[in-house]
Amino acid sequence: MQHRRHGPPARGRVRAPAFQLCGYRQVVGPLWPVSDAAAEAVAEAFHARRAAGLPGAEALTDALLDLRDRYLAAPTRWAAHVHTGV
């Protein structure tokens, strides 16, 4: 198996640690590639809860539970996203 040495990172690679190394204390991102529609749904739900005052991890959990309830048969719409950091 050959390893990539140059060029952009492989699609789907977890990028959260890179953002944390750059100084971001909290990062939300997918563990695998997701559709634009799924990313938008998670982002809108997450940021609405952050604007309401919920802490990052709680806001993402609440957003994902809501999306899970609406799209139970389609976990690709909600299951990929995680929160890392404090």
Side-chain angles (χ1 to χ4, degrees):
M1 181 171 153
Q2 292 183 341
H3 295 281
R4 290 178 68 130
R5 293 180 184 223
H6 303 287
R11 187 173 174 174
R13 185 172 296 174
V14 177
R15 293 179 178 95
F19 283 99
Q20 288 181 305
L21 285 173
C22 290
Y24 291 91
R25 292 181 17 180
Q26 298 184 53
V27 179
V28 173
L31 293 173
W32 56 82
V34 297
S35 70
D36 289 346
E40 182 179 2
V42 171
E44 287 178 353
F46 170 75
H47 286 290
R49 285 157 176 82
R50 288 290 287 146
L54 289 178
E58 188 177 342
L60 182 63
T61 299
D62 193 58
L64 295 179
L65 289 174
D66 181 51
L67 291 168
R68 183 192 67 182
D69 291 345
R70 287 193 279 156
Y71 304 106
L72 188 58
T76 56
R77 300 229 22 181
W78 52 267
H81 289 82
V82 295
H83 174 276
T84 59
V86 257

